[in-house]
Amino acid sequence: MLEALKQQVFEQNMELPKRGLVTYTWGNVSGFDNETGYFVIKPSGIDYDVLKPEDMVVMDLEGNKIEGKYKPSSDTPTHIELYKAFKVGGVVHTHSPWATSWAQAGRSIPCYGTTHADYFYGPVPCARSLTAEEISEAYEKNTGLVIVETFKDLNPDYVQAVLCTNHGTFTWGKDADEAVHNAVVLEEVAKMACRTEMIRPDVKPAPDVIKEKHFMRKHGANAYYGQI
Amino acid sequence: MLEALKQQVFEQNMELPKRGLVTYTWGNVSGFDNETGYFVIKPSGIDYDVLKPEDMVVMDLEGNKIEGKYKPSSDTPTHIELYKAFKVGGVVHTHSPWATSWAQAGRSIPCYGTTHADYFYGPVPCARSLTAEEISEAYEKNTGLVIVETFKDLNPDYVQAVLCTNHGTFTWGKDADEAVHNAVVLEEVAKMACRTEMIRPDVKPAPDVIKEKHFMRKHGANAYYGQI
Amino acid sequence: MLEALKQQVFEQNMELPKRGLVTYTWGNVSGFDNETGYFVIKPSGIDYDVLKPEDMVVMDLEGNKIEGKYKPSSDTPTHIELYKAFKVGGVVHTHSPWATSWAQAGRSIPCYGTTHADYFYGPVPCARSLTAEEISEAYEKNTGLVIVETFKDLNPDYVQAVLCTNHGTFTWGKDADEAVHNAVVLEEVAKMACRTEMIRPDVKPAPDVIKEKHFMRKHGANAYYGQI
Amino acid sequence: MLEALKQQVFEQNMELPKRGLVTYTWGNVSGFDNETGYFVIKPSGIDYDVLKPEDMVVMDLEGNKIEGKYKPSSDTPTHIELYKAFKVGGVVHTHSPWATSWAQAGRSIPCYGTTHADYFYGPVPCARSLTAEEISEAYEKNTGLVIVETFKDLNPDYVQAVLCTNHGTFTWGKDADEAVHNAVVLEEVAKMACRTEMIRPDVKPAPDVIKEKHFMRKHGANAYYGQI
């Protein structure tokens, strides 16, 4: 079942090491199917070298395994919360090194320029730490709930990325491809933001007009970037 | 028409990802044809993986599309202003990470050594921010005009590169090849300038004699570098 | 003799340059055989380009060469002390650049996040400097003894890595594969810890609950990461 | 003439881009022939992509071209001074990014650990700036003389590398292979020294016993590293 989606989710999982975003098995991609309400996700802890499309696991939003010989990614409960709250088509988790360094520092990534503004409308927020209770109770599920909490006053279609304190990144999008694309952009933006602060420790974020112009140039009703 | 120029502009566009200067479609190269007064530029938002020489777009300096099935790069109006003011043969735009970090910091790149002086006669300037009016009115065209303003007391043949605050880089040259070459050099120079300041926060720019000697060794009337 | 182990140790030695952990011959991997009590180690100073499985050297824990045409790695006496004290199946030494920079700084690597906590239960300690006497007497053997001293209150199964002041890294594991895996993780963790401090100079280590949760998720009696 | 040496010098020139030490044509390798007293060097400004062994230029120590269709590297007068003063078999010049950043900062590279001490007995010195007169008179020759001046109290067999303020690096060795090897090591050591200072701004150089032990382990009369 869902063979095309499995193929797509497999290919996008393979993008992660190819783009330098993951070491070993430190990442996972899932994609949602609107018809069935199921999603397809990478199995837990399987090497990218031996991963095959048919290894992908089909899950429902209650966390039941619908199909697949392997256990799904241990981050599956986080993916579920993001699908439920954000109504997106793809979710990605990585420990990509630059973005994870911001997450370990517990800082949101300020918007320092148009590379950022082309994709993310405002800072990429850093979700708060989980409490000891939240960790022991249902760690991965609560990770998702704290991300959703972080977006209570933010539009998840306008900032399709988040940092989790002391942990790593989640990105999303209309499908697995866009979610992976956003993961690549996030890493690039995180790298340049760190270097920007090295070059000028007292740098200020880009003015809001940059954010408006660049995000809307690609995403607004009057978008004119690309062949649209 | 302009098949040879299309081929050259295509090849130089492909140099950008090969040299690590662009992620996804974040860059574009154009080349000018003196006979017709037209220039050839990359189409907007097309993946480098599928780009072909025949996809290049032919434009005139009034911004009219002369030939091509695609829309030209959204940065086309900036290229036009540089061709009009600087009378050059090639223009490149990138978000290359080190140089863009300087642009995000709003700082010109000081000349710290001979690698810089071999190519750029003095600091690589950082153009001022556009005003809100300039952004909303004609963003890409005004980006070009602000670059030209930055060079009102500078020789654009001696410093063939600029940073745009909160944005990225433009470089140029006698043709597309030289413009791309300068983009590669700019990124290398930006990287080393940042590290130089890490190693010695109170470092001073190289003395002017270095600038004179090295730039003129390669570019002056008595140049003696290379097989000339 | 020990042909399968030689093959494994050879392959894991080849992982070091492939993973970017060593330049030239600056690293070595060994693996222990429980039946014979011998271990297999890379020969000293042989280029990775020409290394073959049959070049591996078989040693006993008294430092006697049992088989092999080459001299063993000059770090062999350090491997011996680690095998004797920690009862592990594989040992790796590298000068991997990020971790070695921490070793040169004489600092333990704090646990700043889950990437670290997934593998190392607490900071990766930096062993004290050797005294002049320890260096002149039996440098490599004493390097091992100082590592063992560093773990007098630490569980070497829970933190399978150490930094040696002004020198480099040792990692270990249940076999050569796990020891190399830990060397790769250590380098990644060292890189992100340095960047974390760049991004936030006053950053604090991750709370202990993160350490408990993540290490035990993969290693404890109730581990649930991967296909276990 | 000197076909074997041309082949070796060609191959070692090709190592520079392969090892990430040069961009475009920013480096050159030469090798000395004891029998004839001639040396073989890369031609000036020829792309590595099209370089062939027969393009190498044969020179004598008075700066006369003995054979070759191209002009020799513009740095040839520097190579000559090093051959005359240091009696070495190979010389390399690069603008390798980390080492050049130290040169641009005008700082010698302190010995922070055994990676450094295995190759360089003490700091890698940074030669003083040339005066305006030295630059205008005979820039490349005076670059060599200032390097020689830097070693008036140093043994060039014990520290086979130097930084030139605001410029780049020269390394040497018993032949072109060793000189290139030292250029690779210098870049690695420069990278780790910078990161060591990031991790611990008040770090002190490694104690002298480390320098003695490691350099002599590989280079002294009682060397025991490698298959010797």
Side-chain angles (χ1 to χ4, degrees):
Chain A
M1 64 188 299
L2 299 177
E3 300 306 319
L5 184 58
K6 279 183 198 164
Q7 180 67 34
Q8 180 187 20
V9 168
F10 164 74
E11 285 172 11
Q12 292 303 318
N13 270 292
M14 297 308 288
E15 277 285 290
L16 299 185
K18 190 184 144 201
R19 293 275 180 179
L21 299 192
V22 309
T23 299
Y24 292 126
T25 60
W26 306 347
N28 42 72
V29 178
S30 69
F32 193 78
D33 179 61
N34 275 317
E35 260 180 62
T36 57
Y38 299 152
F39 66 100
V40 166
I41 191 165
K42 178 169 166 286
S44 182
I46 301 287
D47 278 356
Y48 286 95
D49 291 358
V50 299
L51 202 62
K52 292 187 296 293
E54 58 265 34
D55 298 337
M56 301 298 113
V57 185
V58 183
M59 302 289 298
D60 70 18
L61 288 182
E62 281 71 51
N64 302 306
K65 179 155 86 174
I66 303 301
E67 190 202 67
K69 62 184 165 198
Y70 290 120
K71 282 172 54 185
S73 165
S74 59
D75 298 301
T76 297
T78 316
H79 289 244
I80 287 175
E81 295 309 317
L82 300 186
Y83 282 124
K84 282 189 190 166
F86 295 166
K87 313 288 177 206
V88 290
V91 172
V92 174
H93 172 56
T94 80
H95 291 216
S96 68
W98 285 103
T100 298
S101 297
W102 284 88
Q104 292 193 156
R107 286 187 60 196
S108 302
I109 305 176
C111 175
Y112 285 131
T114 63
T115 320
H116 184 124
D118 275 335
Y119 290 90
F120 308 122
Y121 186 78
V124 175
C126 185
R128 70 166 172 80
S129 298
L130 273 62
T131 64
E133 290 69 39
E134 286 168 337
I135 288 174
S136 66
E137 225 181 48
Y139 177 55
E140 290 82 4
K141 176 187 166 81
N142 285 330
T143 296
L145 291 176
V146 168
I147 293 171
V148 173
E149 177 193 313
T150 306
F151 277 77
K152 65 178 185 296
D153 299 320
L154 286 174
N155 182 342
D157 291 339
Y158 273 29
V159 180
Q160 298 180 323
V162 74
L163 307 176
C164 296
T165 296
N166 297 132
H167 186 173
T169 79
F170 282 87
T171 55
W172 49 88
K174 68 175 192 291
D175 56 17
D177 295 43
E178 193 177 66
V180 168
H181 192 104
N182 285 330
V184 173
V185 173
L186 176 61
E187 180 67 359
E188 200 68 13
V189 159
K191 177 175 73 182
M192 294 203 295
C194 177
R195 290 176 179 170
T196 298
E197 298 189 352
M198 285 167 66
I199 292 167
R200 183 172 206 153
D202 66 345
V203 65
K204 298 280 170 291
D208 274 357
V209 286
I210 291 275
K211 182 180 81 176
E212 291 299 330
K213 178 66 189 180
H214 270 263
F215 191 79
M216 294 309 168
R217 188 168 85 146
K218 286 185 104 162
H219 302 270
N222 301 310
Y224 60 92
Y225 183 92
Q227 302 300 325
I228 49 178
Chain B
M1 65 188 298
L2 299 178
E3 300 305 320
L5 184 58
K6 279 183 197 163
Q7 179 67 33
Q8 181 187 20
V9 168
F10 163 74
E11 284 173 11
Q12 292 303 318
N13 270 292
M14 297 308 288
E15 276 285 290
L16 299 185
K18 190 185 142 199
R19 292 277 180 178
L21 299 192
V22 309
T23 298
Y24 292 127
T25 60
W26 307 348
N28 42 72
V29 179
S30 69
F32 194 78
D33 179 60
N34 275 316
E35 260 179 61
T36 57
Y38 298 153
F39 67 99
V40 166
I41 192 164
K42 179 169 166 286
S44 182
I46 303 287
D47 278 355
Y48 286 95
D49 290 358
V50 299
L51 202 63
K52 292 187 295 292
E54 58 265 35
D55 299 337
M56 301 298 113
V57 185
V58 182
M59 302 289 298
D60 70 17
L61 288 182
E62 281 70 52
N64 303 305
K65 180 154 85 173
I66 303 301
E67 192 202 67
K69 64 184 166 200
Y70 289 121
K71 282 173 53 186
S73 164
S74 59
D75 298 301
T76 298
T78 317
H79 289 244
I80 287 175
E81 296 309 318
L82 299 186
Y83 281 124
K84 282 190 190 166
F86 294 167
K87 313 289 178 204
V88 290
V91 172
V92 173
H93 172 57
T94 80
H95 292 216
S96 67
W98 285 103
T100 298
S101 297
W102 284 87
Q104 292 193 156
R107 285 188 60 195
S108 302
I109 305 176
C111 175
Y112 285 132
T114 63
T115 319
H116 185 123
D118 276 335
Y119 290 90
F120 308 123
Y121 185 78
V124 174
C126 186
R128 68 166 174 82
S129 298
L130 272 63
T131 64
E133 291 69 38
E134 285 167 339
I135 288 174
S136 64
E137 224 181 48
Y139 177 55
E140 290 83 3
K141 176 188 166 81
N142 285 330
T143 296
L145 290 177
V146 168
I147 293 172
V148 174
E149 177 193 314
T150 306
F151 277 76
K152 65 177 184 296
D153 300 320
L154 285 175
N155 183 342
D157 291 340
Y158 273 29
V159 181
Q160 299 180 322
V162 74
L163 307 176
C164 296
T165 296
N166 295 131
H167 187 173
T169 78
F170 282 89
T171 55
W172 49 88
K174 67 175 193 290
D175 56 17
D177 296 42
E178 193 178 67
V180 168
H181 193 104
N182 285 330
V184 173
V185 173
L186 177 61
E187 181 67 358
E188 199 68 12
V189 159
K191 176 176 72 182
M192 293 203 294
C194 177
R195 290 177 179 170
T196 298
E197 297 188 353
M198 286 167 66
I199 292 167
R200 184 173 205 153
D202 66 345
V203 65
K204 297 281 171 289
D208 275 357
V209 287
I210 291 275
K211 181 179 82 175
E212 292 298 330
K213 178 67 189 179
H214 270 264
F215 192 79
M216 295 309 168
R217 189 169 84 147
K218 286 186 105 163
H219 302 271
N222 300 310
Y224 59 92
Y225 182 91
Q227 302 300 324
I228 49 177
Chain C
M1 65 187 301
L2 300 177
E3 300 306 319
L5 184 58
K6 280 183 197 164
Q7 179 67 34
Q8 181 188 19
V9 168
F10 163 75
E11 285 173 10
Q12 292 303 318
N13 271 292
M14 297 309 289
E15 276 284 291
L16 299 185
K18 189 184 143 199
R19 293 275 180 179
L21 299 193
V22 309
T23 299
Y24 292 126
T25 59
W26 307 348
N28 42 72
V29 178
S30 69
F32 193 79
D33 179 61
N34 275 316
E35 259 179 62
T36 58
Y38 299 152
F39 66 100
V40 166
I41 192 164
K42 178 169 166 285
S44 182
I46 302 287
D47 278 356
Y48 286 96
D49 290 358
V50 298
L51 202 63
K52 292 188 294 295
E54 58 265 36
D55 298 337
M56 301 298 113
V57 185
V58 182
M59 302 290 296
D60 71 17
L61 288 182
E62 280 71 50
N64 303 305
K65 179 155 85 174
I66 303 301
E67 191 203 67
K69 63 184 165 197
Y70 290 121
K71 281 171 57 185
S73 164
S74 58
D75 298 301
T76 297
T78 317
H79 289 243
I80 287 175
E81 296 308 319
L82 300 185
Y83 281 124
K84 281 189 190 166
F86 294 166
K87 314 288 175 205
V88 290
V91 171
V92 173
H93 171 56
T94 80
H95 291 215
S96 68
W98 285 102
T100 298
S101 297
W102 284 87
Q104 292 192 157
R107 287 187 59 195
S108 301
I109 304 176
C111 175
Y112 284 131
T114 63
T115 320
H116 184 123
D118 275 335
Y119 290 90
F120 307 122
Y121 186 77
V124 175
C126 185
R128 69 165 173 83
S129 300
L130 272 63
T131 64
E133 290 69 40
E134 284 167 340
I135 288 174
S136 64
E137 225 181 47
Y139 177 55
E140 290 82 3
K141 177 186 165 81
N142 284 330
T143 296
L145 291 177
V146 168
I147 293 171
V148 173
E149 177 193 315
T150 305
F151 277 76
K152 65 178 185 295
D153 299 321
L154 286 174
N155 182 344
D157 291 339
Y158 273 30
V159 181
Q160 298 180 322
V162 75
L163 308 175
C164 296
T165 296
N166 297 131
H167 187 170
T169 78
F170 282 88
T171 55
W172 49 88
K174 67 175 192 290
D175 55 17
D177 295 43
E178 193 178 66
V180 168
H181 193 104
N182 285 330
V184 172
V185 173
L186 176 61
E187 181 66 359
E188 200 68 13
V189 159
K191 176 174 73 182
M192 294 204 294
C194 178
R195 291 176 178 169
T196 298
E197 297 188 353
M198 285 167 66
I199 293 167
R200 184 172 206 152
D202 66 343
V203 65
K204 297 280 170 291
D208 274 357
V209 285
I210 292 275
K211 182 180 80 175
E212 291 299 328
K213 179 66 187 180
H214 270 264
F215 191 79
M216 294 309 167
R217 188 169 86 147
K218 286 186 105 164
H219 303 269
N222 301 310
Y224 59 93
Y225 182 91
Q227 302 301 324
I228 49 180
Chain D
M1 64 188 300
L2 300 177
E3 300 306 319
L5 184 58
K6 281 183 196 163
Q7 180 67 33
Q8 182 188 18
V9 168
F10 164 75
E11 284 172 11
Q12 292 303 317
N13 270 291
M14 298 308 289
E15 276 284 291
L16 298 185
K18 190 184 142 199
R19 292 276 181 179
L21 299 193
V22 308
T23 299
Y24 292 127
T25 59
W26 307 347
N28 42 71
V29 178
S30 69
F32 194 78
D33 179 60
N34 275 317
E35 261 179 61
T36 58
Y38 299 153
F39 67 99
V40 166
I41 192 164
K42 179 169 166 285
S44 182
I46 303 286
D47 279 355
Y48 286 95
D49 290 358
V50 298
L51 202 63
K52 291 187 296 292
E54 58 266 35
D55 298 337
M56 301 297 113
V57 185
V58 182
M59 302 290 296
D60 71 16
L61 287 182
E62 280 71 50
N64 302 304
K65 179 155 86 173
I66 303 300
E67 193 202 67
K69 62 184 168 202
Y70 290 121
K71 282 172 55 186
S73 163
S74 59
D75 298 301
T76 298
T78 317
H79 289 243
I80 288 175
E81 295 309 317
L82 300 186
Y83 282 124
K84 280 189 190 167
F86 295 166
K87 314 289 176 204
V88 290
V91 171
V92 173
H93 171 57
T94 80
H95 291 215
S96 67
W98 285 103
T100 298
S101 297
W102 284 87
Q104 293 193 156
R107 286 187 60 195
S108 302
I109 305 175
C111 175
Y112 285 131
T114 63
T115 320
H116 184 123
D118 275 336
Y119 290 91
F120 308 123
Y121 186 78
V124 175
C126 186
R128 68 166 173 84
S129 299
L130 272 63
T131 64
E133 291 70 38
E134 285 167 339
I135 287 174
S136 64
E137 223 181 49
Y139 177 54
E140 290 83 2
K141 177 187 165 82
N142 285 331
T143 296
L145 290 177
V146 168
I147 293 172
V148 173
E149 178 192 313
T150 306
F151 278 75
K152 65 178 185 294
D153 300 321
L154 285 175
N155 182 343
D157 291 340
Y158 274 29
V159 181
Q160 299 180 321
V162 74
L163 307 175
C164 296
T165 296
N166 296 132
H167 187 172
T169 79
F170 282 88
T171 55
W172 48 88
K174 67 175 193 290
D175 55 18
D177 295 42
E178 193 179 67
V180 168
H181 193 104
N182 285 329
V184 173
V185 173
L186 177 61
E187 181 66 359
E188 200 68 13
V189 159
K191 176 175 74 182
M192 294 203 295
C194 177
R195 291 176 178 169
T196 298
E197 296 188 353
M198 286 167 65
I199 293 166
R200 184 173 204 152
D202 67 344
V203 65
K204 296 281 169 290
D208 276 356
V209 286
I210 291 275
K211 180 179 81 174
E212 292 298 329
K213 178 66 189 180
H214 270 263
F215 191 79
M216 294 310 167
R217 189 169 85 148
K218 285 186 106 164
H219 302 270
N222 300 311
Y224 59 92
Y225 183 91
Q227 302 300 325
I228 49 179

